[in-house]
Amino acid sequence: MSASIDKNHGAGRLRLDHLILRVADPEASAQFYRRTLGLAAERGESPFLALRLAPDCVIDLLPQAPRDPAHLALHTDRAGFEAVRTRLRTLRIGHGGGPFVRDGRAAAQYGARGWGEALYFHDLDGHNIEVRTYDPC
């Protein structure tokens, strides 16, 4: 039996609620993500320190050494993208236009919404973080 999925709405309009990211030091990681991406850390009833991505989505920081590096791809508007680029430069964090490139540039990459401008960098645990915008320059 084959099911047809509407690309615009997914299977029953599924959306990401949370994900768990293994990090060696949740407090240090929360500070890193605040400085680079402007994400606020919060503690609620969950046992995890969480990074708020949106009103309905968080990244839970699991205090456990990562087994494998993760790749997180985040999108924002043009102003947010430029703010991240400026923070990375100010903090002297190597970044580039591809997952394995750290040339200080951004580049066109294909994502969930099509082509956009992206930059990549590593967090404290070696996770590959991608920030992209679909807004024109």
Side-chain angles (χ1 to χ4, degrees):
M1 183 161 137
S2 141
S4 174
I5 295 177
D6 180 346
K7 286 185 355 181
N8 295 317
H9 300 294
R13 298 181 186 236
L14 293 174
R15 294 184 55 144
L16 184 64
D17 181 80
H18 71 279
L19 61 88
I20 297 175
L21 188 65
R22 289 182 172 96
V23 297
D25 181 341
E27 294 291 340
S29 290
Q31 288 299 317
F32 177 85
Y33 283 103
R34 182 189 58 75
R35 289 191 322 266
T36 57
L37 301 178
L39 296 179
E42 57 188 52
R43 287 195 187 276
E45 294 181 42
S46 165
F48 302 107
L49 182 59
L51 302 173
R52 177 68 54 187
L53 286 177
D56 60 352
C57 185
V58 296
I59 298 173
D60 290 327
L61 301 176
L62 174 65
Q64 187 178 90
R67 296 179 188 154
D68 296 307
H71 172 75
L72 303 179
L74 309 170
H75 71 86
T76 185
D77 59 17
R78 173 58 61 184
F81 183 83
E82 296 302 336
V84 169
R85 186 188 334 226
T86 298
R87 288 185 195 119
L88 294 175
R89 287 179 177 158
T90 300
L91 295 167
R92 297 181 182 207
I93 294 172
H95 60 283
F100 309 106
V101 177
R102 299 297 180 259
D103 61 3
R105 299 183 198 183
Q109 297 286 347
Y110 195 81
R113 296 182 181 188
W115 287 99
E117 187 175 5
L119 57 82
Y120 299 75
F121 62 97
H122 288 112
D123 75 358
L124 300 177
D125 293 283
H127 298 304
N128 202 10
I129 309 304
E130 175 184 352
V131 177
R132 64 174 40 242
T133 184
Y134 294 100
D135 292 350
C137 292

